[in-house]
Amino acid sequence: RVPYEVVKQKLQTKVYASLADAIRDMSWKALFPTGGIASQMLRDIPYAVVTLLTYEHLKHYWKPKAQQHYPHVPTRSWDLLVGGLAGGLGSYVTNPMDVIKTRLQ
């Protein structure tokens, strides 16, 4: 996953003008920069923690109340909503760390 992230971020920050330029620069050092794993972990671990805790909380406390209040809504819809809210909150909370990671790489 790290090489994909590195190329994606370099395209986002205009280090590469195009995907073709990125492919021409495919080297071991370009794909696995120093500190790349550490900065990615500083983003991914908090994201996973926030997302998982939010999902579990919403699933156990909010979803049963919502299903009881709106019994006609399918269960899968609540699952989708709970997962989306958890992922959205995780992304919102860790966005500053993602920006820092992108600029470091």
Side-chain angles (χ1 to χ4, degrees):
R1 181 170 162 194
V2 173
Y4 165 76
E5 287 283 325
V6 171
V7 172
K8 180 185 78 163
Q9 290 164 1
K10 287 186 177 186
L11 285 168
Q12 289 173 339
T13 57
K14 307 289 188 219
V15 171
Y16 298 132
S18 67
L19 184 58
D21 290 342
I23 291 171
R24 272 192 256 23
D25 190 39
M26 295 287 178
S27 68
W28 190 259
K29 189 171 181 163
L31 292 176
F32 295 97
T34 306
I37 298 289
S39 64
Q40 184 172 348
M41 286 174 41
L42 288 173
R43 179 206 58 183
D44 287 349
I45 291 171
Y47 172 80
V49 169
V50 170
T51 302
L52 181 63
L53 291 177
T54 302
Y55 176 79
E56 289 299 324
H57 177 78
L58 290 174
K59 185 175 83 170
H60 289 292
Y61 295 104
W62 180 76
K63 182 181 164 190
K65 291 177 187 176
Q67 285 178 315
Q68 188 176 34
H69 196 261
Y70 299 100
H72 60 281
V73 177
T75 300
R76 291 289 176 209
S77 297
W78 294 117
D79 293 337
L80 181 67
L81 182 60
V82 165
L85 289 172
L89 183 64
S91 295
Y92 178 77
V93 169
T94 59
N95 185 279
M97 290 175 268
D98 191 31
V99 170
I100 291 168
K101 180 184 76 77
T102 301
R103 292 188 179 164
L104 286 175
Q105 291 182 340

